[in-house]
Amino acid sequence: MNSKKKKRWKIAALLLFLVIAAGFVFPTWTPRIKGADSIHFLGQVPINGAGHEVMIRGTDRSNPVVIFVHGGPGCSEIPYVRKYQDLLEDDFTIVHYDQRGSGKSYHFFEDYSNVTAELLVDDLLALTDYVREKLGQEKVLLVGHSFGTNISLQAAAEAPDKYAAYIGIGQVADTVESELDSLNYTIGQAGLAGNAKDAERLERLRSAIESGEERTPRDLVRKYGGAARLIDDNRDYYTGFLFNPEYNLLDVVRYLRGVAVTQERLLEEEAGNNITGIVRQLDIPLYFVMGKYDYMTSASAAKHYFDRLEAPEKQFVLFEKSAHYPQFEEEERFAEWLNATWNHLAS
């Protein structure tokens, strides 16, 4: 290679290094929302003794407040969720946060071996108080998604005075029942597709799933449409990580580390402490919003739990075209439903 080519390669390598380095450290923000009373906040907030990343967005800060509790465990939705909440921001003030040890709430060199569902519930209750004070609202709507329903339902049961209603999307229920639903669905779909190897792999797991030792492999649940049908949630993460201003590349590393150090332990705790035995009654209105094709958290298992739960008012809502993400897969219908539900609660 001649000296000119070497020089060009060095320059290209330096530019690539600078681009990558800039990606790790560039300041993060959430885009501005026009309006004198709008709010567009993204930042670290000390909650219950730990730094939590909080995003608050809405066209009018006096609108009713909705706190969304992400699932995973460890899977923040801040990197991409703006894509699906523009309709909601017109009528509600939307709050997302990264749970302790998750996403931008993961801090290097901190010990997360003490993270339990109980601690995450305490964090959520403290976050709720912060949001209520910041926005001047007596009560907020609490929405959990997937594993986040385990945390948020417990919080709603513990402090019903803080919440106008509880909404569980992709609601967790009896773990073994849900996983067997997932197993049988996935085996059936593998058979229809003529994929005997997948079906055999799944059938070999049946006894371990029946005993609660294993879960239906999520790669196969996804492969056969039990996770998402109208969106590509994995692609949403990739594009959010790369192109949205809420996360930089260092935050992506935080996200991956948070999943690695907290997810498995929290899932094991969830399996051993079934939500169906923890919360049997709620003193505020209760709503389960499920996708018909959800086999990450089975709609059938959720319905059985719903039927046993006591609440002053409750509704089971089935989204016919969705799997695990009805709030995204059918975002217009979800926005219409949430508006109608709030109007009902406020009347």
Side-chain angles (χ1 to χ4, degrees):
M1 184 181 295
N2 61 42
S3 60
K4 287 184 178 180
K5 286 185 177 180
K6 285 182 179 179
K7 187 176 181 179
R8 285 198 294 268
W9 273 107
K10 287 181 179 179
I11 292 172
L14 177 61
L15 289 173
L16 179 61
F17 171 78
L18 291 173
V19 168
I20 293 173
F24 270 92
V25 299
F26 77 76
T28 56
W29 73 95
T30 193
R32 178 181 176 84
I33 298 175
K34 294 180 180 179
D37 295 319
S38 67
I39 183 168
H40 41 274
F41 170 82
L42 177 73
Q44 282 279 305
V45 178
I47 300 291
N48 199 28
H52 283 71
E53 189 73 9
V54 179
M55 183 173 77
I56 307 175
R57 295 181 54 83
T59 59
D60 187 336
R61 64 176 60 225
S62 67
N63 279 337
V65 176
V66 184
I67 296 178
F68 281 88
V69 184
H70 69 74
C75 297
S76 164
E77 294 178 348
I78 288 177
Y80 70 88
V81 74
R82 276 191 300 107
K83 176 179 179 180
Y84 297 108
Q85 70 177 40
D86 53 332
L87 294 175
L88 297 180
E89 290 175 6
D90 288 338
D91 300 299
F92 300 93
T93 299
I94 306 298
V95 179
H96 288 271
Y97 74 106
D98 288 357
Q99 294 164 28
R100 183 185 296 251
S102 300
K104 295 177 73 151
S105 297
Y106 175 88
H107 304 286
F108 296 104
F109 310 116
E110 286 194 14
D111 180 12
Y112 293 105
S113 61
N114 68 331
V115 174
T116 61
E118 182 180 5
L119 180 55
L120 296 180
V121 170
D122 290 343
D123 289 345
L124 174 54
L125 293 173
L127 171 81
T128 301
D129 288 339
Y130 164 80
V131 169
R132 291 163 68 209
E133 181 178 353
K134 182 178 180 68
L135 296 171
Q137 303 264 357
E138 182 181 355
K139 295 185 177 184
V140 304
L141 279 171
L142 183 59
V143 182
H145 179 231
S146 193
F147 173 80
T149 64
N150 183 24
I151 304 305
S152 51
L153 184 54
Q154 291 186 61
E158 185 172 329
D161 56 303
K162 301 180 191 293
Y163 304 108
Y166 168 76
I167 300 169
I169 304 173
Q171 176 68 47
V172 297
D174 182 272
T175 305
V176 172
E177 179 185 358
S178 180
E179 291 304 317
L180 285 172
D181 286 345
S182 298
L183 178 69
N184 291 328
Y185 166 81
T186 311
I187 288 174
Q189 294 301 304
L192 290 173
N195 293 329
K197 288 185 178 180
D198 284 350
E200 291 168 4
R201 173 190 169 190
L202 289 160
E203 193 59 56
R204 286 195 296 270
L205 293 171
R206 183 174 294 278
S207 61
I209 290 173
E210 288 175 340
S211 66
E213 298 172 12
E214 294 284 349
R215 297 190 307 153
T216 306
R218 273 15 190 187
D219 61 326
L220 295 183
V221 176
R222 287 183 176 279
K223 180 177 180 178
Y224 294 109
R229 303 176 79 85
L230 301 178
I231 65 169
D232 186 332
D233 56 305
N234 280 334
R235 185 171 61 192
D236 283 338
Y237 270 114
Y238 300 146
T239 56
F241 286 150
L242 291 173
F243 303 115
N244 286 357
E246 285 85 1
Y247 264 51
N248 59 29
L249 293 180
L250 183 60
D251 296 329
V252 177
V253 176
R254 297 178 197 271
Y255 176 97
L256 295 173
R257 285 297 303 150
V259 170
V261 302
T262 66
Q263 186 173 90
E264 196 59 38
R265 186 169 64 252
L266 286 169
L267 286 174
E268 288 178 3
E269 181 192 20
E270 179 187 47
N273 297 274
N274 220 306
I275 189 66
T276 58
I278 298 172
V279 179
R280 296 184 174 91
Q281 176 180 331
L282 205 62
D283 294 329
I284 57 175
L286 163 76
Y287 303 90
F288 282 6
V289 177
M290 303 297 297
K292 178 179 179 179
Y293 298 99
D294 187 351
Y295 288 97
M296 301 286 275
T297 52
S298 150
S300 174
K303 182 61 165 63
H304 292 156
Y305 181 33
F306 173 87
D307 290 340
R308 296 194 301 271
L309 266 170
E310 296 182 14
E313 177 181 342
K314 61 182 188 177
Q315 182 183 14
F316 189 90
V317 186
L318 192 66
F319 278 51
E320 296 285 343
K321 299 177 183 179
S322 300
H324 194 51
Y325 301 89
Q327 75 277 33
F328 302 151
E329 296 181 80
E330 298 181 65
E331 60 176 309
E332 290 186 7
R333 182 190 168 192
F334 179 76
E336 291 172 0
W337 175 83
L338 191 62
N339 268 290
T341 299
W342 174 255
N343 291 335
H344 166 71
L345 292 168
S347 63

